[in-house]
Every structure is written in structure tokens, then in C-alpha cells.
Amino acid sequence: QQTTMSDAENVLVIDNGSYQMRVGRAGESAPDVVMHTIVGTPHKYFSSVKKYFFGNDVNTNRGQCSQITYPIVNGFVQN
């Protein structure tokens, strides 16, 4: 089966890095989404708002986080 240009346009590329995650379509010059690979756990006072903060939301709400973790280290997902 041959691949056509329309098939290539539908390919999603996900790059999970230790610092940031980039998501985009194959053939594009830049990713559509870039976000930090970071997870924040809110202080107990803010836990009713959200259970976790992800990506850029962690930096925006850093003062509300009791713990900040980087789940990907040297290319491996950490628990």
C-alpha cells in the first residue's frame, strides 16, 4: 500500500523530553504544542481546585504546589 501526501498530513509526532514535550504534525516546521514536562501537587489548601497541575500550569501556580516533580528523567518515565 502506498502512502499519499494526505496520509502523511495525518501523522502525529510526539516528542517526550526530560524538559519539555512537543506535539505536532509530520512535515510541519514547528510543533503545534510545546509544554514543560512537569507535574505539581497542590498544597492541601488548594487540592479542592485541582488534584494535579501539569505543564505550564505548574509555573503559573507554583506557589500553590507542595511538590513539583519531573516525570521523565534521561528519557525514562519515573513513578
Side-chain angles (χ1 to χ4, degrees):
Q1 181 180 13
Q2 289 186 327
T3 302
T4 64
M5 182 57 98
S6 62
D7 291 336
E9 291 171 355
N10 293 323
V11 174
L12 186 65
V13 178
I14 302 171
D15 178 13
N16 289 320
S18 295
Y19 177 70
Q20 60 184 206
M21 181 172 85
R22 295 171 291 281
V23 180
R25 291 168 292 191
E28 296 291 324
S29 60
D32 294 321
V33 176
V34 177
M35 66 183 246
H36 295 284
T37 309
I38 188 171
V39 177
T41 306
H43 293 286
K44 62 182 176 179
Y45 309 109
F46 301 106
S47 61
S48 62
V49 177
K50 279 191 170 184
K51 190 171 182 177
Y52 296 102
F53 292 107
F54 298 99
N56 300 333
D57 285 344
V58 174
N59 290 328
T60 305
N61 299 289
R62 191 172 286 270
Q64 297 180 17
C65 294
S66 63
Q67 181 180 12
I68 295 175
T69 58
Y70 298 86
I72 299 177
V73 177
N74 295 325
F76 293 97
V77 177
Q78 306 295 309
N79 277 340

